[in-house]
Structures are given as C-alpha cells and as structure tokens.
Amino acid sequence: MEFNKIFAAVLLAGIIGMATGIVADMLVSPEPLKENTFKVDTSAIASAAPAAGPAAAAIPPIAPLLATADPTAGQALSKACAACHTFDKGGANKVGPNQWNLVGAPMGHKDDFNYSTAIKKKHEEGAHWTYEELNEFLAGPKAHIPGTTMTYAGMKSEKDRANLIAWLRTNADTPEPLPSPDAAAPAAPAGGAEPAPKSGG
C-alpha cells in the first residue's frame, strides 16, 4: 500500500513538471536573432597581421675578394677544421673527407668516404665545388645543402671565407684558375675532391 502511494506521488510530480514546462514554452517563446546585435569589426585585425618576413639576404659573390685574398691567413683559419679534415695529398679521412684538391672537384667524389645522402644527390646531379659553391657552403653548410651531416655552423666573415678558399685552392697538383674579380658565379669546372672544412659531408 505504501509503495503504491509513493509511486503515485512520483508519477504526479512528473506530470506536473511536464505540464509546467509546456505552459512555460507557450508563455515565453523567444525568437532567435538573425544576426548579432553587437558587431565586431575584424578588418583591423586582418590589416594588422604581420607580413611575411624578408627573405634571407643573398651571400655576395666571393670572386671580387679572391683576387686579394691571403692564403697564409686561410691556412691559419683551417686549423679550426683540422679536427674533422686533413688537407695533405693522400691524407686520411676523419669525421669528414680529406680535402686535397677540393676546389673545382665534383661533390662527393671520394670512393673511400661515406657521404651524406644530400652530398650523394649533389654528386648524381653533377655538382662541383666551384668558388661560389664553397663560399655559400662555408657561410652556412646546412642552409646551403640541407641534409648535410657537416656540423659546422658557418663562417660569417666574407674576408675569412675568401682567405680560406684561396688557401684550399693551393692544395692541389694543379690549382684551379681564379675567377675574374667581376664574375658572379663561375661555371662548374671538373676536378678532384669533396666538401669543405669541419665535419662530415
């Protein structure tokens, strides 16, 4: 008997709640807005969006500096590369390949060194270590040839790069002819070795 009373009370409360909801909906029926009453002007936000950053500055040609470059100063600079490279004829490979006869050489030409995939690809494409290639590679190896295993951060001084390249040029049986001082990018010659100082390749 008590159970029936409880059940009836719950049922009655549910019916009252439902009826109240129906009546409330009939009395209050708001219409949805067709548009926001408070408009936000987004044009200023769009115009304030930052523009794309400027492209990285191009590296000036090295040819004009090579005419007055100092190979002796370049040899002194090469000491920082000696932990990873040798420069003498017939020298052993280290972390990076031997650099004898580098200037003008095909990239990745040494059969006894395991080059990075990036350098192997350059070799397949017929790329050479021209004066300008060396200049840009030494300025930032990973920026110039993405994927190289060379860990050197880069030589920022144009004068230092010119001196180092002038010295590298002397490490050959027949040094590569110097480019004309007003030459922007000499044509790729044929020759003998592989990447530049300080680590892999």
Side-chain angles (χ1 to χ4, degrees):
M1 189 69 178
E2 285 300 319
F3 177 79
N4 289 340
K5 290 180 180 179
I6 295 171
F7 179 77
V10 171
L11 183 61
L12 180 62
I15 292 171
I16 292 172
M18 185 173 63
T20 303
I22 293 171
V23 172
D25 285 342
M26 292 173 62
L27 294 175
V28 182
S29 54
E31 294 183 8
L33 296 176
K34 293 181 180 179
E35 60 179 286
N36 290 334
T37 56
F38 183 76
K39 296 181 179 180
V40 179
D41 184 6
T42 59
S43 60
I45 298 173
S47 62
I59 297 172
I62 203 69
L65 293 177
L66 287 173
T68 57
D70 181 1
T72 302
Q75 183 175 15
L77 289 168
S78 74
K79 292 178 181 178
C81 313
C84 299
H85 295 281
T86 59
F87 299 91
D88 54 319
K89 186 175 182 178
N93 297 320
K94 292 186 176 181
V95 176
N98 170 263
Q99 302 293 317
W100 174 262
N101 204 25
L102 174 68
V103 180
M107 291 189 185
H109 80 290
K110 289 177 68 66
D111 295 331
D112 60 348
F113 187 80
N114 185 26
Y115 295 99
S116 65
T117 302
I119 295 294
K120 288 176 181 176
K121 183 179 179 182
K122 286 285 188 179
H123 178 81
E124 292 169 1
E125 293 171 351
H128 286 66
W129 287 115
T130 64
Y131 288 107
E132 293 306 332
E133 282 283 356
L134 282 168
N135 178 38
E136 295 195 29
F137 188 75
L138 287 170
K142 291 187 180 297
H144 186 56
I145 303 181
T148 180
T149 54
M150 178 114 151
T151 59
Y152 183 49
M155 185 176 287
K156 304 310 175 189
S157 167
E158 294 174 33
K159 183 177 179 181
D160 285 349
R161 293 199 303 272
N163 290 340
L164 180 58
I165 293 169
W167 177 72
L168 289 171
R169 172 183 175 270
T170 66
N171 297 329
D173 294 320
T174 305
E176 192 72 15
L178 286 170
S180 168
D182 55 0
E194 187 320 84
K198 194 143 181 29
S199 196

